[in-house]
Each structure stands twice: as C-alpha cells, then as structure tokens.
Amino acid sequence: MPMYEYRCQECGRKYEQLRRFADADRDLQCPECASERVERLLSAFAAHGCGGGGRFT
Ligand SMILES: [Zn+2]
C-alpha cells in the first residue's frame, strides 16, 4: 500500500497516510481541524534516487 502525503487547505497541516491507490483521493479529512478541504501532494516515496555508487576511482 503506497504512502500518500496530504495538505489541509484550511489549516495548512501536512500529513501522511497509507492508502490504497483507489482510495487515495476519497474521504479525505484533516486530522487537525477535520476539514475535508484536503489536497493530495505528489508522493515523496521513491524520492531517493539510486544514484550510481560503488565506483572506486
Ligand atoms: Zn486542517
């Protein structure tokens, strides 16, 4: 199950949540103010590129 990142448009709170892909944009609610005006951010998982290491010079 992928991790998604959300941000509340009411209070600006950012939070992460594990959700199924099909549910990623459903029933969003801010844990801080209970607002449903929450937007999904581009997920940050796989942010670390596997840069080419292991090269000994
Ligand atoms: Zn909020």
Side-chain angles (χ1 to χ4, degrees):
M1 216 163 22
M3 174 94 76
Y4 294 102
E5 198 172 2
Y6 301 92
R7 185 176 59 199
C8 174
Q9 295 179 347
E10 292 290 337
C11 70
R13 163 77 179 248
K14 290 209 301 187
Y15 65 99
E16 295 175 334
Q17 216 166 53
L18 283 171
R19 278 173 173 259
R20 286 180 300 177
F21 180 77
D23 295 335
D25 288 316
R26 296 175 61 177
D27 301 327
L28 298 176
Q29 191 174 46
C30 173
E32 191 75 23
C33 69
S35 168
E36 294 177 358
R37 291 184 57 204
V38 174
E39 64 174 350
R40 180 160 54 94
L41 304 177
L42 293 176
S43 70
F45 78 95
H48 301 281
C50 298
R55 197 183 295 167
F56 300 95
T57 47

